[in-house]
Amino acid sequence: KSTVVNGIMHAAMYQSPAMIQFILIDPKGTELDMYSKLPHTIQYAQTSTECLEALQNAMNITRKRFDSMKRKGLREYDGAHIYIVIDELMYLFNRPDVKRQAMNTLQDILVIARAARVHVIACTQNPTTATIPATLRCNFDSRLGLRTTTAQDSRNIIGVKGCELFPNPTLAHTAYGYYMHGGENEVYELTRIEDEEIQRLIAYWKKHSRPRLKLFA
């Protein structure tokens, strides 16, 4: 999971903050914290309250972008892409007092935000129906299944068994996953980026000013 997330973040960092921006939701506070000071990052959330606030802010941004699209007569927003990166869904939904609101807000974002160039990348090491219920899962048009404990966990991610079969000739113990898109699954080779390369790009971007985006305007 870390390999996938770091690979996505690394690729995105080759774009300027004017093109790509992040809302990082990191309930464990261990995976995404090194990206928190990037000029691309417009919000970093760790506590349950912060994570819920970040989702609500993303929804507010989406609504404002739709208002802008309506005024301009556009079918798709013409500004930067915003990626909401959630490191661990299970931790996000762990507190009963925020679970329902967090899940409902995330569901709303998934349903409408794509045209506003607001996208969600959500990860979990616990792919049960409690963590990724069908009402949430069906709104992710692309999914990547890595090694799972059971065939049911595999079905919860990509709709079929297979991720639990490690090692096997099709899906090796590491470096591969099943990528589901367009209703089909294919074996996908993961890109592993060395930590030094990631830190090099982070150091480069930290020397640049933060994006001029009024998140709460």
Side-chain angles (χ1 to χ4, degrees):
K1 179 171 69 70
S2 296
T3 298
V4 174
V5 173
N6 287 322
I8 291 172
M9 298 294 288
H10 174 265
M13 282 191 290
Y14 277 93
Q15 299 288 329
S16 76
M19 300 295 294
I20 300 289
Q21 294 162 358
F22 301 126
I23 293 176
L24 304 178
I25 297 177
D26 189 19
K28 293 192 295 183
T30 57
E31 292 292 340
L32 302 176
D33 57 323
M34 64 179 173
Y35 302 108
S36 63
K37 302 301 182 183
L38 278 174
H40 305 69
T41 301
I42 57 180
Q43 188 168 12
Y44 174 80
Q46 184 175 340
T47 69
S48 295
T49 301
E50 290 171 347
C51 293
L52 180 57
E53 182 184 73
L55 288 174
Q56 292 170 333
N57 289 334
M59 192 70 246
N60 291 338
I61 291 173
T62 300
R63 291 193 181 102
K64 289 176 182 177
R65 288 188 166 195
F66 271 107
D67 289 342
S68 176
M69 290 160 59
K70 185 176 180 180
R71 290 194 305 269
K72 297 177 181 179
L74 300 176
R75 296 180 62 87
E76 184 178 4
Y77 188 70
D78 57 354
H81 290 269
I82 295 178
Y83 288 88
I84 306 165
V85 184
I86 306 171
D87 174 61
E88 181 51 75
L89 277 174
M90 182 184 69
Y91 281 77
L92 177 62
F93 300 149
N94 202 32
R95 276 182 49 180
D97 57 328
V98 301
K99 177 179 180 178
R100 181 177 295 276
Q101 190 172 357
M103 189 172 290
N104 288 343
T105 304
L106 179 58
Q107 176 73 26
D108 290 343
I109 293 170
L110 288 169
V111 169
I112 70 170
R114 191 176 297 111
R117 292 190 175 180
V118 178
H119 316 279
V120 178
I121 299 170
C123 311
T124 184
Q125 291 179 320
N126 187 48
T128 65
T129 54
T131 303
I132 45 173
T135 53
L136 199 65
R137 183 174 66 248
C138 67
N139 284 292
F140 286 95
D141 54 3
S142 298
R143 307 174 209 158
L144 179 62
L146 306 178
R147 183 182 185 182
T148 63
T149 303
T150 68
Q152 185 56 52
D153 286 345
S154 180
R155 293 187 188 98
N156 291 341
I157 303 170
I158 60 173
V160 295
K161 66 179 182 178
C163 295
E164 80 286 358
L165 302 174
F166 285 87
N168 71 30
T170 304
L171 203 57
H173 182 76
T174 60
Y176 291 89
Y178 280 119
Y179 177 49
M180 190 209 82
H181 63 103
E184 297 182 357
N185 293 309
E186 62 178 302
V187 176
Y188 179 81
E189 184 174 2
L190 308 177
T191 301
R192 181 175 180 84
I193 308 298
E194 296 298 330
D195 291 343
E196 292 79 6
E197 169 63 11
I198 294 173
Q199 291 298 336
R200 183 189 67 80
L201 273 181
I202 290 174
Y204 170 82
W205 282 115
K206 280 184 177 180
K207 296 178 182 178
H208 293 70
S209 61
R210 297 179 67 82
R212 296 179 180 178
L213 177 69
K214 295 181 179 179
L215 181 59
F216 306 110

